[in-house]
Amino acid sequence: MSLLVAVTWETQPWVERFARYLPGRAIVVLGEEFDRSKIRYVATWGPKPGSLDRLPNLEAIFSLGAGVDHLMGYPGLPDVPVVRVAQDDLTHRMSEYMVMHCLMYLRDHARFAAAQRAKRWEEDRSPPIAADVRVGIMGFGVLGQDAARKLKMMGFDVAGWSRTPKSVDGFTVYSGEGGLSEFLARTDILISLVPLTPDTRGILNRTLFEKLARDGRLGGPILINAGRGGLQVERDILACLDDGTLKAATLDVFEAEPLPEDSPLWEHPRVTITPHNAAVSEPEATARYIADQIHRHEAGELFQNIVDRARGY
Amino acid sequence: MSLLVAVTWETQPWVERFARYLPGRAIVVLGEEFDRSKIRYVATWGPKPGSLDRLPNLEAIFSLGAGVDHLMGYPGLPDVPVVRVAQDDLTHRMSEYMVMHCLMYLRDHARFAAAQRAKRWEEDRSPPIAADVRVGIMGFGVLGQDAARKLKMMGFDVAGWSRTPKSVDGFTVYSGEGGLSEFLARTDILISLVPLTPDTRGILNRTLFEKLARDGRLGGPILINAGRGGLQVERDILACLDDGTLKAATLDVFEAEPLPEDSPLWEHPRVTITPHNAAVSEPEATARYIADQIHRHEAGELFQNIVDRARGY
């Protein structure tokens, strides 16, 4: 009846949270002595190789964040349901990030911030309106659709792209390889929210950037990636910024995190960097969500948000 | 049958626009020779004293922007309807401004921008969520209500304050002098959209700032003024920022515009300055709106958005 918490940092706060939401259960951590046959559940983020092995009575693995790419690469991942955390809170935070950064580009915030530093009163005669700006959301799941609705309500012209065909009220959703070029050709601001899988690794590269719209009101295409750093090729982003293929980029995730101090991204004048905080999971809500899933399961219901291993998300 | 365009800058583009939307009418400007008895309409912004006098057949005055304070102080303003421009476009732009700046405060954008400049990967462990932040919109007319709906949809806890009692679905609207203190006491981010009248001149002062909530999640109250500069006492804003009565301020309007180069606001680390561009009127839409109103009037209908001279807006 035990829950094993397998994280590589901050073990104790998680143990305390789970103890509160799952009273009466044994909550154990790696490195302690415990009976491996008693472990029924694992809550984990980035488990080290070997740490999830030899758990004969395991019933489910819970990811402590929204993505599961940190688990999919685990060698010999136990053959039990892998459950993603899906919290409204996290979805809302991600939408905040997208709405804020799209508005900052629409309203040319960087230009007016520079004008303030120079104590210059800058005229702003005929700025574009939101309806003039085409936002394209790559990855049109729960996160992508919530962001789409909010961006649309702010007036942006929003469309989505999804790996598999999808019908979402109020939006054109392009799909598959075939729909990708058409989607990119109508996109001024590209938002990446695709899951990281072997298929999507490095997808944000020069070949893709070159297909973005070049006739928009913002003076060139813009990339916003708050999905996973593994999606992007940073060398290509820098080169494309420098030769005008991209106008600007807002990046929350990186090939290596924390972003190394010697990365040229830090001081590129048209790169906005945030420290993987677009959608910080609220630990209390995460623990509560996992406890709820355990209660559902033990009441004979199905887990929610089980990962499809074939797709990898 | 003439329209007099009385602006102090950029006359010719306005004449061309009106000529397009009002074909066959004489469009005249100050300084030219014209028959004053033929002027039926005036379109104006900040008219100089005397420029609207001796127009015996005048039927209406149109303001070329949303506010009319520039007209209300005109000595001997002709006793004809004064019509405000009310464009969706302008409303949407104002809401963009409010949503963007509230999100930038919620997500502590200034801190992460500083971290980027220092090439520092800043941890962001338990940021507030939008529902933790109470936005108070002072002035709950068309602009205030549109901003309120959009801020609410982003998750903020929004209330309004109006001079006269008002009932708006989905929002608590405080009113009058009596409701003001209660409204301020529940407000973390104060948005000012009140019209500038003799009653509201200088209303954004120390006495008011001291009534704002001090128990919020943002570390102190924040002011966003994109209404009129005459509402604010800049000396008080600076002093309140320095003694902690205010945490930060975002100002789009100023006592004097352009903001003088020697204003200490420019380089205050917790002041964000924009050059009165929160809601730039789109000149084409403004000209079309005024032409529409003239057509309505001549078809025997009432003008829309007539200013109440007793209230001053």
Side-chain angles (χ1 to χ4, degrees), chain A residues 9-10 89 93 95-97 99-101 103-104 106-107 109 112 115-117 119-122 124-125 127-130 150 153-154 252 254 257-259 261 265-268 271-280, chain B residues 9-10 89 93 95-97 99-101 103-104 106-107 109 112 115-117 119-122 124-125 127-130 150 153-154 252 254 257-259 261 265-268 271-280:
Chain A
W9 86 108
E10 272 205 332
D89 188 44
R93 279 178 199 268
S95 294
E96 288 170 8
Y97 188 88
V99 169
M100 179 176 100
H101 287 282
L103 287 174
M104 287 168 75
L106 171 66
R107 301 185 62 94
H109 177 74
F112 294 102
Q116 177 174 354
R117 287 191 294 274
K119 302 189 181 186
R120 190 177 63 241
W121 186 265
E122 190 114 324
D124 191 14
R125 287 282 177 192
I129 62 170
K150 290 171 180 171
M153 204 221 27
M154 295 307 301
D252 187 50
F254 302 91
E257 292 179 16
L259 181 64
E261 214 192 303
L265 289 169
W266 281 115
E267 51 191 9
H268 196 287
V271 173
T272 301
I273 288 175
T274 53
H276 203 148
N277 74 342
V280 177
Chain B
W9 86 111
E10 269 204 334
D89 187 45
R93 280 177 199 266
S95 293
E96 288 168 9
Y97 188 88
V99 169
M100 180 175 100
H101 287 283
L103 286 174
M104 286 168 76
L106 171 66
R107 301 185 62 96
H109 177 75
F112 294 102
Q116 178 173 355
R117 286 192 294 275
K119 301 188 182 188
R120 191 176 61 242
W121 186 266
E122 189 114 325
D124 190 16
R125 286 286 179 192
I129 62 170
K150 289 171 179 171
M153 203 221 28
M154 294 307 302
D252 187 51
F254 302 92
E257 294 179 14
L259 182 63
E261 213 192 304
L265 289 169
W266 282 114
E267 52 192 7
H268 196 288
V271 173
T272 300
I273 288 175
T274 52
H276 202 147
N277 73 342
V280 177

Side-chain angles (χ1 to χ4, degrees), chain B residues 108 111 126 135 140 196 306:
Chain B
D108 212 350
R111 175 177 153 214
S126 54
V135 178
F140 216 58
L196 179 62
I306 295 180

Side-chain angles (χ1 to χ4, degrees), chain B residues 17-85:
Chain B
R17 280 174 208 120
F18 283 120
R20 256 184 291 120
Y21 291 109
L22 294 165
R25 315 281 179 126
I27 313 291
V28 297
V29 299
L30 291 174
E32 282 178 359
E33 281 292 309
F34 60 88
D35 180 350
R36 299 189 77 88
S37 72
K38 291 223 170 116
I39 301 294
R40 286 173 60 185
Y41 309 107
V42 165
T44 187
W45 185 262
K48 288 184 186 155
S51 55
L52 308 186
D53 299 353
R54 295 173 295 111
L55 299 169
N57 296 311
L58 191 64
E59 296 180 26
I61 297 171
F62 299 99
S63 168
L64 286 171
V68 292
D69 45 289
H70 64 102
L71 269 171
M72 291 297 119
Y74 182 93
L77 187 68
D79 188 22
V80 296
V82 174
V83 178
R84 277 188 305 116
V85 173

Side-chain angles (χ1 to χ4, degrees), chain B residues 126-183:
Chain B
S126 54
I129 62 170
D132 295 335
V133 175
R134 297 161 295 179
V135 178
I137 302 180
M138 219 174 148
F140 216 58
V142 173
L143 295 178
Q145 290 179 39
D146 189 74
R149 277 189 295 273
K150 289 171 179 171
L151 286 161
K152 185 178 180 178
M153 203 221 28
M154 294 307 302
F156 289 100
D157 179 2
V158 184
W161 178 85
S162 170
R163 203 181 64 97
T164 51
K166 211 169 245 183
S167 165
V168 178
D169 235 24
F171 297 97
T172 300
V173 187
Y174 299 84
S175 66
E177 276 303 311
L180 186 58
S181 296
E182 201 184 339
F183 164 79

